[in-house]
Amino acid sequence: MGTLGQGAVFREIKDRFLECFPVFREDSGALLEEFGQVAQYVAFPGNKTIYVEGDVCSHIAFLLSGGIRVFKAGETGREITLYEIGRGDTCILNASSIMCNRPYPAHAVATEPGEFLLLPAPAFQRLLHRSPRMQDFIFGLLSERLSAVMALVEEVAFGRMDERLEDYLRERSRNRILQATHQAIANDLGSSREVVSRLLKELERKGKISLSRNRIEIKVLSGPHRLSVT
């Protein structure tokens, strides 16, 4: 881990950063200057714990590669995935904790190796006040995540979509292969693509299916059980 400054490291990472976050290409330059002065480049391994519930957020992470799962965990050990973030994303709970000066309210664990830029909380707060592009990025992401979490609440509170999805996969697959888009499955089940995609990712994370473009390979599907809450 090292602070990015005037050296070759910053010049190299700057181009990758703009590829991942093209919204910042139109910034006046103050944002990139701030990143160049205080941001840190960090490479992390898979399964690394990024945050645990109650942590103080001293930085906000902007992902250049890899993936991070954000989830809540109950006292019994059950977990519920809130959302996943990847290349070109940041964690909206991370941002919210800094903006509201509150502890991180969930857990965040790397699902695969990756890299991010860490921006110190004071610098993030300055940019959020001064940079319209940072405001657009953060509040646009907030809207997306809020919609996803509302869909999750609907899924958990009102349905057993996990069981219906497993039955659907068993019935519709041929030789353990189903050719279908997530949207098509959602349409058949009367659900949303976001809910179906979340449940399919949970199945894949548990080694029960393998996902590729418009293709689902079934490995093991035993009996119906909750996927988002484990």
Side-chain angles (χ1 to χ4, degrees):
M1 178 186 298
T3 301
L4 302 179
Q6 299 293 323
V9 175
F10 173 65
R11 289 194 295 271
E12 177 183 347
I13 298 302
K14 176 182 174 181
D15 290 339
R16 291 187 57 203
F17 174 74
L18 291 176
E19 288 178 5
C20 296
F21 300 89
V23 65
F24 297 139
R25 289 184 183 276
E26 301 177 19
D27 188 79
S28 63
L31 182 144
L32 296 180
E33 182 179 353
E34 189 87 46
F35 266 85
Q37 291 175 351
V38 299
Q40 294 176 312
Y41 166 82
V42 177
F44 57 86
N47 297 320
K48 176 178 175 58
T49 297
I50 308 298
Y51 281 117
V52 297
E53 187 168 353
D55 278 352
V56 174
C57 294
S58 59
H59 294 73
I60 185 170
F62 292 80
L63 264 71
L64 302 174
S65 65
I68 296 174
R69 174 177 172 246
V70 180
F71 63 97
K72 292 284 287 185
E75 294 181 358
T76 62
R78 294 193 303 169
E79 298 176 356
I80 181 168
T81 299
L82 300 177
Y83 53 83
E84 296 184 0
I85 60 178
R87 180 181 183 271
D89 276 337
T90 190
C91 176
I92 200 63
L93 289 180
N94 190 177
S96 176
S97 294
I98 292 174
M99 290 188 289
C100 300
N101 193 28
R102 294 181 177 177
Y104 193 73
H107 301 269
V109 175
T111 56
E112 56 183 297
E115 310 153 281
F116 49 51
L117 289 182
L118 286 178
L119 188 66
F124 172 64
Q125 291 173 322
R126 286 194 298 269
L127 288 173
L128 197 58
H129 285 291
R130 299 173 184 174
S131 169
R133 295 295 174 244
M134 181 64 82
Q135 294 168 10
D136 290 345
F137 175 71
I138 292 298
F139 292 115
L141 187 60
L142 176 61
S143 177
E144 292 177 12
R145 295 298 185 219
L146 181 59
S147 296
V149 171
M150 288 300 293
L152 175 61
V153 170
E154 179 181 357
E155 168 199 328
V156 172
F158 303 119
R160 295 299 297 259
M161 187 57 67
D162 48 352
E163 295 180 3
R164 293 176 59 201
L165 178 59
E166 288 202 33
D167 290 341
Y168 181 94
L169 296 178
R170 278 190 289 263
E171 293 169 4
R172 298 296 183 94
S173 63
R174 296 293 179 270
N175 297 321
R176 293 182 171 270
I177 300 296
L178 175 63
Q179 300 280 356
T181 65
H182 294 191
Q183 185 63 63
I185 296 173
N187 291 343
D188 287 343
L189 294 175
S191 183
S192 68
R193 181 185 58 79
E194 291 77 12
V195 167
V196 168
S197 295
R198 181 191 305 277
L199 291 172
L200 288 172
K201 286 180 181 178
E202 289 287 338
L203 275 174
E204 183 177 48
R205 186 173 63 86
K206 294 179 178 181
K208 295 191 172 185
I209 64 172
S210 177
L211 297 174
S212 54
R213 184 175 178 81
N214 298 340
R215 184 178 186 273
I216 302 170
E217 179 184 356
I218 298 174
K219 296 182 177 179
V220 178
L221 287 180
S222 52
H225 61 285
R226 294 297 292 174
L227 299 178
S228 289
V229 183
T230 58

